[in-house]
Amino acid sequence: MRLRRVVIGGTITAVVGSVLTITSGSIPLGAPPPRDRVVEAPDGATAMQLASVQGSRVEVTAERTSTRAVYANPGGTMTAEFSAVPVRVKQGESWVAIDTTIVQKADGTVGPKAAEGDLRLSGGGQGSDLARMSKDGREFALQWPGALPKPVLKENTATYPEVLPGVDLVMIAERGGYLQHLVIKSAEAARNPQLAKVRLGVRAPGLTLQSDKGALKALDATGAEVFSSPTSVMWDSSGPMPGPATSKSAAVDVSFVDGSLQIVPDQKFLADPAVVYPVTVDPPWSPPGIYNWATVLSGKGSQPYWWTSGEHPWAQIGQCPASLGGWCNGIGEARAYFEYDTTFLHDKPVVSASLDTAVVYSPSCS
């Protein structure tokens, strides 16, 4: 199989046997199909009645989440569609499509128009949070150690130029959470002693901070994960499309120390004369949710690539062909793994299930 990129929002569709009891309501049995077809109803019973009368499926809005949509089918079954990434978010009483475009907010912060976790980023200045996420009344925030310049906004990216000499801080809004990149633009900038250890203040009221082999978690009183960050990576610009999988890369030592987030870039990596600058140092962060995706590569088996494949935002599958030459850079064979929140299916008989993805690129049609 050739190396292919697939859309990360691929959905699982499960058809389940109906467990709803149809009761009498405003739509009499045997009524003719409505002139204007209804696409949604507030509850399962009403949706099932409408679907039966009009001969087309109707969404049950009470079951809608950021990653799930449930439909009543005319034949008496129900269809649940699950996404591995948020596709909608609730604003007030309405659901809106995800839009990660970063804009200015009324309170002086900047953030995506519509994304899971209500991400707010600093509008610049001293003393404000660099990044703040909130979900279900819980909050996690980071503070940069010093004043921040006014960010340069472009699409889903806010760039804070020259937070250290020759270093930009780039914040990228995701559908859920964000990517935090320190972009070290030259070997000279990398020799700055301030890059030996970078400490960010942390504010997470009521949460316990935990470090585990480079993965970070903020836990509630029950031990449940509320906010998290996978293992961090740094990479150079040697790849044809620079990224953690297609370029030279190394692990980053990230941990919570005395209530701060400590990031320790690999100094040997930064000093390596073969490294091509700029060098990017993450970690990413995400709010709670039973959904995830990651890429693993046979040529770099010790490093999972969460929410990226080296060519964010596409997942990759298949073998990197020799015809691509240096582009492969040790990738080998790529596999993608997706996690879906399927708790809705508990105790429901599943009639059928399918996985739907879209291929957006392949080096050949074979």
Side-chain angles (χ1 to χ4, degrees):
M1 178 188 292
R2 298 291 189 180
L3 189 68
R4 290 179 168 85
R5 302 176 205 154
V6 298
V7 177
I8 61 173
T11 57
I12 280 184
T13 301
V15 179
V16 299
S18 174
V19 294
L20 298 173
T21 301
I22 305 301
T23 58
S24 60
S26 59
I27 305 170
L29 296 177
R35 181 175 299 176
D36 296 320
R37 293 189 182 276
V38 178
V39 296
E40 62 182 45
D43 58 78
T46 304
M48 193 68 78
Q49 285 183 308
L50 285 165
S52 177
V53 169
Q54 68 184 19
S56 60
R57 73 179 191 173
V58 177
E59 185 183 0
V60 183
T61 58
E63 301 293 350
R64 186 187 295 167
T65 71
S66 63
T67 59
R68 182 185 72 214
V70 178
Y71 300 88
N73 301 316
T77 60
M78 303 191 77
T79 296
E81 295 180 351
F82 306 95
S83 175
V85 294
V87 295
R88 66 187 72 83
V89 64
K90 200 164 190 179
Q91 292 186 337
E93 296 302 315
S94 302
W95 288 94
V96 299
I98 293 287
D99 185 346
T100 57
T101 304
I102 294 180
V103 295
Q104 188 77 41
K105 302 290 185 177
D107 61 0
T109 64
V110 300
K113 290 182 178 179
E116 187 88 344
D118 192 25
L119 173 64
R120 296 300 177 98
L121 302 172
S122 173
Q126 181 87 37
S128 62
D129 293 330
L130 164 63
R132 182 178 76 249
M133 289 186 297
S134 59
K135 184 73 181 291
D136 299 331
R138 296 167 295 190
E139 191 172 83
F140 180 88
L142 296 177
Q143 294 91 35
W144 181 257
L148 285 167
K150 184 176 181 179
V152 178
L153 308 183
K154 182 179 180 181
E155 299 175 347
N156 68 328
T157 299
T159 299
Y160 301 85
E162 298 293 309
V163 292
L164 294 172
V167 179
D168 292 344
L169 177 59
V170 180
M171 307 295 288
I172 304 170
E174 295 281 84
R175 290 172 172 266
Y178 61 90
L179 306 180
Q180 175 186 309
H181 290 169
L182 274 177
V183 180
I184 306 169
K185 293 182 279 188
S186 68
E188 180 182 1
R191 289 190 286 270
N192 187 336
Q194 290 179 279
L195 282 174
K197 291 181 181 179
V198 179
R199 280 198 176 188
L200 281 68
V202 178
R203 183 167 52 80
L207 301 177
T208 300
L209 305 178
Q210 185 180 94
S211 310
D212 182 17
K213 298 179 181 178
L216 306 174
K217 299 176 182 179
L219 310 176
D220 66 14
T222 68
E225 186 177 298
V226 180
F227 300 98
S228 64
S229 174
T231 52
S232 297
V233 186
M234 57 192 293
W235 61 92
D236 76 351
S237 299
S238 60
M241 298 184 69
T246 55
S247 299
K248 295 183 183 69
S249 62
V252 179
D253 182 6
V254 180
S255 60
F256 290 118
V257 177
D258 298 330
S260 298
L261 172 62
Q262 179 173 276
I263 303 171
V264 183
D266 187 319
Q267 297 301 310
K268 289 184 179 179
F269 183 89
L270 293 176
D272 186 345
V275 163
V276 179
Y277 282 85
V279 167
T280 301
V281 183
D282 68 9
W285 281 93
S286 69
I290 310 175
Y291 52 81
N292 253 315
W293 72 279
T295 300
V296 294
L297 309 174
S298 63
K300 302 183 179 184
S302 62
Q303 176 62 55
Y305 297 95
W306 290 97
W307 316 331
T308 183
S309 64
E311 291 183 87
H312 190 81
W314 310 118
Q316 290 184 331
I317 57 173
Q319 296 176 343
C320 195
S323 60
L324 293 182
W327 186 93
C328 291
N329 198 21
I331 286 176
E333 183 172 349
R335 294 184 179 180
Y337 293 86
F338 302 90
E339 181 181 20
Y340 299 86
D341 182 359
T342 58
T343 51
F344 171 80
L345 298 178
H346 181 66
D347 285 340
K348 295 181 175 65
V350 178
V351 178
S352 63
S354 62
L355 173 65
D356 301 306
T357 63
V359 177
V360 296
Y361 170 80
S362 175
S364 73
C365 297
S366 60

